[in-house]
Amino acid sequence: MRRTNVGGLLAAATAIRGGHAPVNGQGFRILQPGVSVPLAATLLANAIAWRQGGDVAIITPALQGGFAQNVVARVGQGPCGQQGNGPYSVHWEGTDRDETQIIINGLQLGANADGAVALAALRALPPSGPVRAAIMWVENQIHALGRVAFARADIEAVIARNVALRRQHGGNASHLFTALTVQQAKNREFEGVVVIWPYQVGGDVEHKRRLLYNAVTRARRWCNVIVQGQNILAAAPFI
C-alpha cells in the first residue's frame, strides 16, 4: 500500500490481506453498524463533515439491494442526525457506457455533417476531457487530412474511446464527493474513503477480503467502514 504512511490504515490493509480481522486505529475505523438508512447516512455525513479537507470517495462492493444508493441519496437530501451535518452533493460515478451515453445524448448532430457543424455541436456540449479530445480529433481531420464530412457514428466512437482511456489512466471528472464501486475505484486514490458494506456482497471469503482490501487501500489519510448490520461483523472479511 504505497499511497499512505498512516499507521492504522497500513495495519488494517495488512490484516485484511493476511486474512485477519482489521482493527480500529489511526486513520481507520469500523463504525457502529448502520442497519437503517438514516443512521448510516448520519455516519456518512459526519465523516464528510469531520474530514479536515480533501476529497472523499464513498465506495461499495455491491449495488444490489440499493442500501448504498439510499444512504448517499439521504445525505444529499438535507441535514442528518443530531449534528445536522449535510446536505452533501455526492456524484455517483457511472460506467464507461453510462458516461458515453450521457455525452452523446446531448450531441445535437445528424447522421452526417460537415466539419464546421460537427465542431459547433461538440463545442456546445459541457466541457470534459472526452469532448475536448473529440474536438481535437475533428480539427486534426480537417486541417491535416482535408476531411470535409463526418459521420455521427465516428464522432461517437471517438468520444467512447476517450472515456475509456481516461478511466484506464485513473482520470475522471473533478468531484469533491464521489460514490462508486470497488471495481470503479481501482488505480485511484482519495484523501478519505467511506466504505458502505451491505448485506448483498457475493463471492467466497477470499473474494470479499480482496474487495475490502481494494476499498481500504484507496485512502491516503483515513477510511471509515459502515456495515449494514451487526451480524456482518461476525463473518469474513471482518474476522
Side-chain angles (χ1 to χ4, degrees):
M1 185 175 173
R2 301 174 183 172
R3 56 181 50 80
T4 187
N5 59 2
V6 178
L9 276 174
L10 291 169
T14 300
I16 296 165
R17 185 173 56 191
H20 306 296
V23 297
N24 291 351
Q26 180 190 13
F28 178 81
R29 289 196 303 158
I30 299 175
L31 300 177
Q32 176 184 350
V35 182
S36 70
V37 168
L39 178 54
T42 297
L43 295 174
L44 172 57
N46 290 347
I48 292 174
W50 301 336
R51 74 188 188 281
Q52 297 183 332
D55 58 351
V56 178
I58 297 94
I59 302 177
T60 184
L63 297 173
Q64 292 87 345
F67 182 68
Q69 297 96 311
N70 290 336
V71 172
V72 169
R74 174 62 188 87
V75 166
Q77 289 168 358
C80 298
Q82 293 182 354
Q83 300 279 340
N85 290 319
Y88 296 107
S89 177
V90 179
H91 169 76
W92 264 108
E93 190 165 295
T95 63
D96 290 359
R97 181 179 297 179
D98 293 336
E99 185 175 351
T100 300
Q101 195 62 49
I102 290 171
I103 294 173
I104 65 178
N105 282 348
L107 185 62
Q108 300 299 310
L109 193 65
N112 294 281
D114 64 30
V117 171
L119 284 172
L122 285 166
R123 288 170 178 154
L125 292 171
S128 66
V131 170
R132 288 190 289 270
I135 291 171
M136 292 176 61
W137 178 80
V138 171
E139 289 176 337
N140 183 65
Q141 294 284 306
I142 293 171
H143 299 306
L145 303 177
R147 185 169 176 176
V148 296
F150 293 85
R152 179 185 175 102
D154 291 343
I155 293 175
E156 290 182 359
V158 171
I159 292 171
R161 183 165 65 249
N162 281 279
V163 168
L165 285 172
R166 186 180 67 182
R167 288 176 183 268
Q168 287 172 12
H169 289 88
N172 215 313
S174 178
H175 296 281
L176 190 56
F177 310 126
T178 304
L180 65 170
T181 64
V182 173
Q183 182 67 28
Q184 290 169 328
K186 284 185 176 181
N187 301 319
R188 309 268 291 277
E189 59 181 45
F190 306 88
E191 286 298 293
V193 167
V194 177
V195 181
I196 298 181
W197 195 275
Y199 286 118
Q200 293 89 344
V201 180
D204 59 16
V205 169
E206 184 57 33
H207 177 67
K208 292 178 180 178
R209 292 196 189 281
R210 283 198 303 271
L211 288 172
L212 183 59
Y213 176 82
N214 285 330
V216 170
T217 55
R218 300 308 96 201
R220 285 191 291 260
R221 289 198 296 115
W222 60 271
C223 175
N224 291 344
V225 181
I226 302 171
V227 299
Q228 189 174 1
Q230 180 71 39
N231 57 338
I232 291 175
L233 297 178
F238 297 100
I239 61 170

